[in-house]
Amino acid sequence: MSVPAIEIVSLHKRFGRLEVLRGIDLAVAQGEVVCVIGPSGSGKSTLLRCVNRLEEPTSGRILIEGEDICDPDCDLDRVRTRIGMVFQQFNLFPHLDVLGNLTVAQRRVLRRSRADAEAKARRVLERVGLLDKIDEYPARLSGGQQQRVAIARALAMDPDMMLFDEATSALDPELVGEVLAVMRDLAEEGMTMMVVTHEMGFAERVADRVVFMDDGVVVEQGPPARVLRHPTHERTRRFLTLVEER
């Protein structure tokens, strides 16, 4: 039996007196796409940020491919090179063109040569349909194009898995589809993905499993068709009804 890509064990996170995560247990298999849904404030983004310790867990364990990243002896920087992360905001360097945005971490973190880093950048930009924008600066790109560059930047590091934190929520509605298409292609290629999203259609079509969170706990989880169309928990039903009414 293969080791899970991500294993979260009894995870708690507090901000002062506020307990945001209240004992999360969750595993993501190699090659699995897990979409995490739930109302604002349910702890979804905090959970995702704990997975690569952008947020420090209060207690519990997080294992990446069997390695406990909460262990003081863990080389966190090395583990993070295996985890690509795409945020709600694009976080591109405004003073660098697209090529520069894609090569800076490759050269500084992975120690790739300029030629190798640029070759990799061209390959991943072609993969997301933006090779023709390689010399542009972020300010000259649409929001959807900026987010696709952000995805390409993460892919350029050759991650084993990808985390997406509300990757489309800052985009105008007409630009959402182009980003979701890239994410769908990644899923079809077998990339392990943990996706916090409000895009229920994407979750239903692409996810292997949907996890519904509320008030810092996992309320229910299962195949998309069951959770989204036939939820067993009343809280999930209420949430999905409100989403449909918007």
Side-chain angles (χ1 to χ4, degrees), residues 197-246:
T197 186
H198 284 110
E199 299 290 339
M200 298 301 142
F202 173 84
E204 185 165 14
R205 289 189 300 272
V206 177
D208 297 301
R209 182 160 40 113
V210 170
V211 174
F212 174 69
M213 285 183 64
D214 188 36
D215 196 24
V217 300
V218 172
V219 175
E220 70 174 294
Q221 59 180 302
R226 185 189 66 71
V227 173
L228 297 176
R229 296 190 177 274
H230 306 287
T232 59
H233 199 284
E234 174 59 27
R235 182 65 188 93
T236 316
R237 286 195 287 271
R238 289 204 312 271
F239 170 75
L240 292 171
T241 298
L242 288 171
V243 169
E244 290 172 1
E245 289 175 352
R246 286 175 189 161

Side-chain angles (χ1 to χ4, degrees), residues 86-134:
V86 179
F87 301 88
Q88 178 176 342
Q89 302 299 329
F90 320 125
N91 293 342
L92 299 176
F93 295 114
H95 65 290
L96 296 177
D97 61 14
V98 168
L99 180 62
N101 268 280
L102 265 67
T103 56
V104 62
Q106 291 188 69
R107 298 186 65 199
R108 291 183 180 177
V109 178
L110 300 182
R111 303 298 182 189
R112 284 179 179 155
S113 68
R114 180 185 295 274
D116 286 347
E118 291 185 357
K120 182 67 175 183
R122 291 177 187 279
R123 289 196 296 274
V124 292
L125 283 171
E126 187 168 24
R127 190 172 175 184
V128 302
L130 287 176
L131 185 56
D132 61 326
K133 302 296 184 182
I134 194 167

Side-chain angles (χ1 to χ4, degrees), residues 22-123:
R22 302 189 294 126
I24 301 290
D25 291 294
L26 185 66
V28 180
Q30 302 281 354
E32 187 179 20
V33 178
V34 172
C35 283
V36 183
I37 65 171
S40 297
S42 59
K44 308 182 301 296
S45 292
T46 300
L47 173 63
L48 204 68
R49 291 172 65 85
C50 282
V51 168
N52 63 1
R53 277 184 55 195
L54 287 176
E55 292 290 355
E56 196 67 30
T58 302
S59 63
R61 300 171 68 214
I62 300 168
L63 293 92
I64 300 298
E65 297 173 331
E67 185 171 1
D68 187 350
I69 65 169
C70 298
D71 188 320
D73 294 329
C74 173
D75 184 348
L76 186 58
D77 289 338
R78 176 181 53 79
V79 175
R80 280 179 173 153
T81 65
R82 289 147 47 193
I83 308 170
M85 180 123 189
V86 179
F87 301 88
Q88 178 176 342
Q89 302 299 329
F90 320 125
N91 293 342
L92 299 176
F93 295 114
H95 65 290
L96 296 177
D97 61 14
V98 168
L99 180 62
N101 268 280
L102 265 67
T103 56
V104 62
Q106 291 188 69
R107 298 186 65 199
R108 291 183 180 177
V109 178
L110 300 182
R111 303 298 182 189
R112 284 179 179 155
S113 68
R114 180 185 295 274
D116 286 347
E118 291 185 357
K120 182 67 175 183
R122 291 177 187 279
R123 289 196 296 274

